[in-house]
Amino acid sequence: MLDCTPKEMKPRLSGGLINPAKTCQPIGAMYAALGIHRCLPHSHGSQGCCSYHRMHLTRHFRDPVMATTSSFTEGSSVFGGGANLKTAIKNIFQVYSPDVIAIHTTCLSETIGDDIPSLIQSAEIPEGKLVIHTNTPSYQGSHITGFSNMTKSMVKYLAQASTTVKKDQVNIIPGFVNPGDMREIKRLLKAMNIESILFPDTSGVVDSPMTGEFNMYPAGGTTIEQLKDTGNSKLTIALGRFASSDAAELLSSKCKVPALALKTPIGIKASDAFLMALRGSFAQEVPAEIEEERGQLVDIMTDTHFHFHGKRVAIFGDPDIVTGLTEFVLSLGMAPVHILTGTPGGAIGSAVGSFEEDINGMLLEANLTANVKAGGDLFTLHQWIKNQPVDLLIGTTYGKYIARAEDIPFVRAGFPVLDRSVHSYMPLVGYRGAMRLIEMISGALLDRADRDAADEDFELVM
Amino acid sequence: MAITKEQLDAILEKYPAKVAKSRKKHILIKDASQESQIIEANTRTVPGIMTNRGCAYAGCKGVVVGPLKDMIHIVHGPVGCGYYAWGTRRNKAKSEDPTKNFLNYCVSTDMQESDIVFGGEKKLAKVIDEVVETFHPNAISISATCPVGLIGDDINAVARAAQKRHGIPILAFNCEGYKGVSQSAGHHIANNILLDKVIGAGEQEAAPAKFAINILGEYNIGGDGWEIKRTLEEIGYHIVTVMTGDGSYEELKNAHVAELNLVQCHRSINYIAEMLEIKYGTPWLKVNFIGIQSMIETLRNMAIYFNDEALTKKTEEVIARELARIEPVIEQYKKVCNGKTAFCFVGGSRGHHYQGLFAELGIDTVLAGYEFAHRDDYEGRQVLPDIKPDADSKNIPELHVEADEGRFRLKMSPERLEALKKEIPLSNYAGMNIDMAEGKIIVDDINQYETDELIKLLKPDIFASGIKDKYVVQKMGIPAKQLHSYDYSGPYAGFNGAVNFARDVSMGFSSPTWNYIVPPWKNQPLLIGTVTEEGVA
């Protein structure tokens, strides 16, 4: 398994990737667009892009992922994809009747330079229907950038400040997380008795129930009315800087809705911060049921701290998720040694994002140092681990090869998880998400301890 | 179970007129009274119509080139294309030397905006240098993605220079995603380069053993190739190379020494088969390793070709033994499957290949079709002269091959070859339509809307397709079987494969999980009881 990866690390200066820890923008835009009610994502490019993105999302969610493509040919690549897009828009509304088409571009249409807004202007759009778009050049950023861009476009096209006084409601941008996380965030808001608009909201879309009928547009998703109304909210909370901040900032400048950027609420500290922000902004006390959950979480943490304390961890995945996971393992007393995201832009000194800085700050506070990298790949992560072994690896399914090669307990978290089910229905966020994470981490560590124990050391109680 | 022309027209009516006109030509109701039923295939998908099709890159790197295990496959482009074709196709491989199996590695040049603006050739050259230094592969492939062709990166020149620098073969594939109308274009591009640059590059002049064959268009999905090999090697065949499942550059370069080429997936590899015949005089045999009867027929046809008494005897021995072993097992599963109906919509050959296996289980295929096939895959190769090249197919270069002066060798007298062609499908494929029964539906490039409508009309018991359809169909309460990835099971080829398939399909029908779709309260009023004088009882 991965037998060709040498331990010796030589500088790689080409800028190429070996075993990437990111993918391209369009898939993130497609996923975000699925979080609008009755929306059909549309990929303006070659058929392969749309096919690959649908495949990958379907494998992660094990649910239908509907999207269309402009089906570029060599001719459209030479003469531009305008005719294809206009034909597509006409056909989509007639055959699939969505309420809104959300177009994202690809490296192909971006390189040609198709001007999507003017193409939309000249397209036949039935009365009452909408077409929105975002630019997602695959040669910039990552799938997280694409998610962020589509979310931003929702604001750009739809958000309106139509009331003179802001409503007592909060916009929540959950970031590139699972529907299980989105449901948990909504549950917390309901418990806090705060009116909210969560967008995009893929719950009820890619975790839709089995009813014996296929519904092309399931019940879930943020409605157009809600998206318009985001301009009237009194606060936007962006959960995760990489996936959510841009949209929140646009809402602030476009509709004067103040924006607050928080970490994805993974783990106790980030969940506390989320609830404290809500409490402070809406003068709503945290209800007893949530306080009880928090108490249960801390009870578990203190009861089992000896399972985790000092254990060396490697974490990789999307920047917002990795940041949350790192903070949480630190609060369990674990020692992160390798922290990596594939998404670029978070490197120290770069204009956007602050992945490396954030992580290093957390480590400093815990008196630890680690390998930290934004824009990295899994070849690098594997070499780090070969040189400095770890007790646990946390990351997406792609980590299973490293885990097997180095015989490391492995916890799957983030996107994508392609080889296990149920994960997309369950939260990682909030106190309940943190409990679930503890269960997964302790399961992985203790199953390994059981497997490796000599008969005489095999314990009934641990 | 069939549909009428009127029902079909009603489905098409919902389309805009132009789309209806186009789609009508892609759908047939089998009518044996007509001498030939023409189907339109390998033409553009109408934009906006939700197709299952992918792109040329997917067909080239993803299907044909990617499985070659001792090569590093560099994808030149933004990260996505390399990422999606990494580990997702189940083309299994093992190597005696695990440091020469690179299938778990994905190398992308990860083009950035500056590469798009200023060109990515230098970066590509640097990535090649790093890869050679790090991995020491036997050979390297470079696959171009959409922007590469647009910005004019000359990957062929980069490959030539790097080949000179490093002394290993470096192959460049101009398989930009926008070429052609589907994956099919990429198969053709891959075939051309493999024939031109790899096959024949080896030193061997003759096969090292008797009954030497190549297996073309077998990708070892779920270990299919290994199960096929098990039987063929037991019978006495020497497999020179498999194209390309569990294949390698090292083996492929000597593929010219084989006495016969077997063609499993006609669509993706027929170009190589045809060119090998012209260049080396090696005929090809259309085979089908899927299904018990097809497997047996394939083995017998191979024995007829080689015309060797001991080989024929061994063939019959193996068939008899395997049948005796698996038939009772299959019989158990047949009880579950008998009388059911299927839709079978897959790729460019499997839509045909699996029908026999379904039939052996008692399952009637009522609708079949291909995602990216050409007319000859439906109607048979005799239509090839009638297929007019269009703007899209003209963009894929036709490789001109001639007989190799030193290595061309007729494998038998022309008279015997002609006589054999009447007996076995030698250098011929009769297509899928001929095997479909009267009234069955044949659909090319089926889309989401047609899938939905045809399921409502024909109510199949199982739907064989891919991941993008799977959960759509299952939401309707119909089990869907992925025939690209086998739902992570397999092998499905050969004798053991038939058993695995029967087991998995039966599981789809007999799983208790389908019984819980309707909640118990849906069929029961909230209040049950009678109102008496004393109140509600």
Side-chain angles (χ1 to χ4, degrees):
Chain A
M1 187 54 55
L2 297 178
D3 293 294
C4 317
T5 305
K7 183 176 174 188
E8 189 197 348
M9 296 188 75
K10 289 183 183 164
R12 286 193 286 130
L13 305 172
S14 69
L17 295 175
I18 307 175
N19 295 357
K22 64 164 182 181
T23 180
C24 60
Q25 283 208 46
I27 193 172
M30 187 182 281
Y31 179 52
L34 288 167
I36 303 175
H37 183 58
R38 292 191 60 83
C39 174
L40 194 60
H42 180 81
S43 164
H44 187 53
S46 295
Q47 279 163 186
C49 310
C50 187
S51 178
Y52 276 135
H53 302 144
R54 290 181 64 203
M55 261 189 228
H56 223 62
L57 290 169
T58 306
R59 284 172 176 144
H60 176 85
F61 295 108
R62 295 180 202 250
D63 234 22
V65 171
M66 297 287 109
T68 48
T69 164
S70 291
S71 295
F72 271 56
T73 58
E74 191 145 354
S76 13
S77 305
V78 175
F79 301 111
N84 288 47
L85 187 61
K86 280 188 250 175
T87 308
I89 290 173
K90 181 173 182 239
N91 290 336
I92 291 165
F93 279 124
Q94 183 154 347
V95 182
Y96 303 111
S97 339
D99 287 351
V100 51
I101 299 174
I103 301 165
H104 61 263
T105 56
T106 57
C107 49
L108 174 56
S109 51
E110 285 290 334
T111 305
I112 301 170
D114 275 351
D115 179 10
I116 309 296
S118 60
L119 291 172
I120 294 174
Q121 292 242 307
S122 58
E124 276 177 57
I125 302 169
E127 187 74 27
K129 303 280 184 174
L130 287 170
V131 179
I132 66 171
H133 100 285
T134 199
N135 293 91
T136 47
S138 316
Y139 42 77
Q140 285 174 354
S142 74
H143 55 296
I144 297 302
T145 323
F147 183 94
S148 167
N149 283 341
M150 181 53 87
T151 309
K152 198 172 148 187
S153 283
M154 294 174 198
V155 174
K156 192 171 83 187
Y157 273 92
L158 300 167
Q160 292 167 358
S162 56
T163 57
T164 42
V165 181
K166 294 295 180 198
K167 292 185 185 174
D168 202 25
Q169 67 184 21
V170 64
N171 302 321
I172 307 279
I173 309 178
F176 199 130
V177 292
N178 278 320
D181 295 308
M182 298 181 188
R183 285 178 192 271
E184 180 64 7
I185 292 167
K186 287 194 286 189
R187 189 185 68 91
L188 289 172
L189 285 156
K190 205 171 169 192
M192 291 286 290
N193 203 18
I194 296 169
E195 290 293 321
S196 65
I197 300 170
L198 183 93
F199 77 98
D201 182 2
T202 59
S203 68
V205 181
V206 292
D207 62 352
S208 65
M210 170 65 117
T211 59
E213 270 172 38
F214 168 65
N215 190 352
M216 202 157 159
Y217 307 106
T222 317
T223 63
I224 298 296
E225 284 313 307
Q226 285 177 310
L227 284 169
K228 287 180 180 166
D229 199 32
T230 54
N232 300 322
S233 298
K234 78 173 217 188
L235 176 69
T236 302
I237 298 182
L239 297 173
R241 288 186 189 177
F242 280 81
S244 305
S245 277
D246 280 4
E249 275 161 30
L250 184 62
L251 253 176
S252 159
S253 59
K254 185 182 173 187
C255 303
K256 305 284 173 280
V257 180
L260 182 62
L262 295 177
K263 292 194 184 95
T264 306
I266 293 175
I268 186 153
K269 279 179 80 172
S271 297
D272 283 350
F274 178 50
L275 288 173
M276 285 301 281
L278 290 172
R279 181 178 179 270
S281 308
F282 291 87
Q284 289 284 352
E285 196 47 85
V286 177
E289 58 179 290
I290 302 297
E291 191 173 319
E292 185 185 30
E293 270 172 28
R294 186 184 185 282
Q296 289 173 325
L297 170 64
V298 180
D299 194 59
I300 295 167
M301 289 168 69
T302 51
D303 289 350
T304 57
H305 68 270
F306 57 92
H307 290 155
F308 310 111
H309 200 91
K311 290 277 189 293
R312 290 157 304 168
V313 200
I315 303 172
F316 76 94
D318 298 335
D320 297 329
I321 306 298
V322 170
T323 304
L325 289 169
T326 304
E327 187 173 73
F328 186 48
V329 300
L330 282 167
S331 53
L332 286 172
M334 299 178 92
V337 257
H338 312 299
I339 316 286
L340 180 140
T341 183
T343 295
I348 288 170
S350 74
V352 282
S354 54
F355 176 78
E356 293 180 3
E357 227 173 270
D358 288 354
I359 300 285
N360 281 324
M362 289 191 261
L363 291 166
L364 190 68
E365 211 174 294
N367 235 342
L368 293 168
T369 53
N371 289 315
V372 181
K373 191 170 170 62
D377 60 20
L378 297 186
F379 187 78
T380 301
L381 179 69
H382 190 183
Q383 289 192 311
W384 281 349
I385 291 174
K386 274 181 181 291
N387 286 286
Q388 252 179 291
V390 292
D391 303 304
L392 178 72
L393 175 64
I394 305 178
T396 72
T397 284
Y398 289 94
K400 76 189 281 184
Y401 293 88
I402 297 174
R404 181 178 164 103
E406 304 304 325
D407 196 19
I408 315 164
F410 178 43
V411 166
R412 288 162 178 80
F415 175 86
V417 173
L418 307 169
D419 59 338
R420 297 291 187 270
S421 62
V422 193
H423 54 85
S424 63
Y425 296 80
M426 306 304 230
L428 289 183
V429 301
Y431 303 122
R432 300 198 69 87
M435 285 184 215
R436 179 167 166 256
L437 264 173
I438 294 182
E439 190 178 15
M440 293 197 292
I441 292 171
S442 67
L445 289 174
L446 300 181
D447 280 352
R448 169 58 52 94
D450 279 345
R451 192 198 80 180
D452 292 349
D455 281 357
E456 61 274 23
D457 294 325
F458 192 64
E459 306 268 2
L460 178 70
V461 185
M462 292 169 87
Chain B
M1 195 183 291
I3 62 169
T4 62
K5 230 186 130 293
E6 290 68 36
Q7 285 172 310
L8 189 58
D9 288 343
I11 292 176
L12 295 171
E13 247 170 42
K14 192 178 168 187
Y15 283 131
K18 269 190 187 165
V19 182
K21 202 176 152 210
S22 157
R23 287 305 303 158
K24 200 174 176 152
K25 297 180 204 153
H26 293 263
I27 306 173
L28 292 181
I29 301 173
K30 174 71 184 275
D31 177 0
S33 70
Q34 292 188 42
E35 201 181 322
S36 67
Q37 282 183 287
I38 295 169
I39 191 163
E40 190 161 297
N42 193 37
T43 53
R44 292 177 188 179
T45 298
V46 186
I49 298 302
M50 207 180 290
T51 175
N52 272 355
R53 282 175 166 181
C55 62
Y57 160 81
C60 178
K61 193 274 175 185
V63 172
V64 181
V65 182
L68 293 168
K69 61 191 171 189
D70 58 349
M71 298 175 71
I72 285 279
H73 302 293
I74 298 174
V75 181
H76 185 37
V79 66
C81 306
Y83 173 88
Y84 298 115
W86 171 31
T88 46
R89 187 156 165 268
R90 304 197 70 228
N91 44 277
K92 292 174 184 264
K94 56 187 167 200
S95 298
E96 277 173 28
D97 177 1
T99 66
K100 279 280 185 271
N101 180 350
F102 303 110
L103 286 202
N104 291 327
Y105 291 87
C106 163
V107 180
S108 166
T109 55
D110 188 26
M111 285 177 107
Q112 298 299 303
E113 188 162 21
S114 57
D115 303 316
I116 301 289
V117 176
F118 301 110
E121 292 177 10
K122 281 184 188 148
K123 186 175 197 180
L124 173 62
K126 279 189 210 157
V127 170
I128 295 171
D129 294 347
E130 273 178 14
V131 154
V132 171
E133 196 194 348
T134 311
F135 296 112
H136 317 292
N138 290 342
I140 288 174
S141 79
I142 302 162
S143 294
T145 61
C146 292
V148 170
L150 289 181
I151 62 171
D153 269 5
D154 187 348
I155 61 168
N156 297 285
V158 175
R160 272 195 306 273
Q163 179 158 329
K164 225 174 185 176
R165 224 162 41 244
H166 297 294
I168 57 164
I170 299 181
L171 315 172
F173 296 86
N174 293 99
C175 55
E176 287 84 351
Y178 54 74
K179 288 192 172 161
V181 299
S182 70
Q183 293 93 311
S184 176
H187 303 146
H188 195 164
I189 292 161
N191 276 224
N192 285 350
I193 303 288
L194 293 185
L195 188 101
D196 195 34
K197 300 271 179 14
V198 184
I199 299 171
E203 305 292 308
Q204 285 181 20
E205 292 304 329
K210 279 211 296 191
F211 313 126
I213 54 169
N214 294 316
I215 307 177
L216 279 65
E218 164 47 54
Y219 299 105
N220 203 30
I221 309 301
D224 274 352
W226 293 330
E227 169 61 10
I228 295 164
K229 256 185 171 174
R230 178 182 72 85
T231 301
L232 296 189
E233 288 181 344
E234 188 191 352
I235 291 173
Y237 292 103
H238 171 75
I239 297 163
V240 179
T241 187
V242 181
M243 296 178 208
T244 49
D246 196 27
S248 65
Y249 181 89
E250 282 306 304
E251 284 176 0
L252 187 59
K253 68 182 185 185
N254 284 313
H256 58 276
V257 303
E259 300 288 320
L260 174 67
N261 292 315
L262 309 182
V263 171
Q264 171 71 5
C265 174
H266 175 261
R267 182 67 267 135
S268 63
I269 210 102
N270 76 91
Y271 317 94
I272 287 185
E274 208 181 333
M275 292 187 285
L276 282 175
E277 184 158 15
I278 298 168
K279 200 166 175 184
Y280 302 108
T282 324
W284 58 272
L285 179 70
K286 178 67 187 83
V287 298
N288 181 10
F289 297 112
I290 306 294
I292 304 165
Q293 285 314 314
S294 300
M295 179 73 184
I296 292 173
E297 197 184 313
T298 291
L299 296 177
R300 286 185 176 145
N301 288 344
M302 290 169 69
I304 290 170
Y305 175 87
F306 282 103
N307 195 26
D308 177 276
E309 204 177 316
L311 189 80
T312 306
K313 187 163 168 276
K314 185 72 187 175
T315 299
E316 292 304 327
E317 267 174 37
V318 168
I319 291 172
R321 188 201 66 209
E322 293 289 300
L323 268 185
R325 182 173 66 86
I326 67 166
E327 272 188 327
V329 191
I330 297 262
E331 208 49 45
Q332 292 303 309
Y333 295 123
K334 201 175 162 179
K335 286 179 195 154
V336 180
C337 300
N338 207 17
K340 302 260 200 269
T341 59
F343 278 15
C344 190
F345 182 83
V346 210
S349 287
R350 286 181 217 187
H352 183 197
H353 287 159
Y354 276 81
Q355 293 187 32
L357 182 50
F358 271 132
E360 283 158 13
L361 298 173
I363 301 169
D364 190 20
T365 303
V366 292
L367 176 147
Y370 300 125
E371 191 179 316
F372 46 75
H374 299 197
R375 275 183 63 197
D376 42 318
D377 302 291
Y378 292 100
E379 301 172 58
R381 283 179 72 92
Q382 73 281 358
V383 301
L384 283 173
D386 302 337
I387 301 175
K388 291 184 190 72
D390 60 12
D392 300 308
S393 57
K394 273 186 203 157
N395 289 333
I396 316 302
E398 285 287 342
L399 195 61
H400 180 71
V401 275
E402 286 173 3
D404 182 305
E405 269 184 37
R407 285 169 166 173
F408 182 91
R409 186 170 54 79
L410 283 179
K411 306 298 185 277
M412 60 183 66
S413 72
E415 294 77 28
R416 175 155 188 260
L417 193 67
E418 282 314 305
L420 265 185
K421 280 184 179 173
K422 295 196 173 71
E423 203 179 341
I424 59 175
L426 210 53
S427 306
N428 190 32
Y429 176 43
M432 175 175 82
N433 295 8
I434 198 170
D435 285 340
M436 304 253 339
E438 191 70 6
K440 304 298 184 207
I441 322 296
I442 299 157
V443 190
D444 177 65
D445 185 21
I446 204 170
N447 57 57
Q448 198 282 328
Y449 165 69
E450 287 165 14
T451 302
D452 211 3
E453 294 299 313
L454 288 163
I455 285 179
K456 281 182 205 155
L457 273 179
L458 291 166
K459 302 184 175 59
D461 298 298
I462 188 166
F463 187 97
S465 181
I467 186 72
K468 295 189 290 284
D469 294 332
K470 182 180 174 80
Y471 302 106
V472 172
V473 174
Q474 294 206 157
K475 282 278 194 269
M476 303 177 197
I478 299 166
K481 181 81 210 138
Q482 293 185 63
L483 282 187
H484 298 269
S485 73
Y486 304 166
D487 291 307
Y488 327 110
S489 177
Y492 284 167
F495 294 112
N496 286 338
V499 175
N500 292 339
F501 184 76
R503 179 199 62 213
D504 291 352
V505 168
S506 312
M507 187 160 67
F509 292 135
S510 54
S511 164
T513 54
W514 301 106
N515 301 335
Y516 300 94
I517 295 173
V518 182
W521 51 87
K522 285 282 178 202
N523 296 323
Q524 211 172 61
L526 186 58
L527 292 172
I528 304 173
T530 46
V531 181
T532 63
E533 275 173 31
E534 289 81 38
V536 179

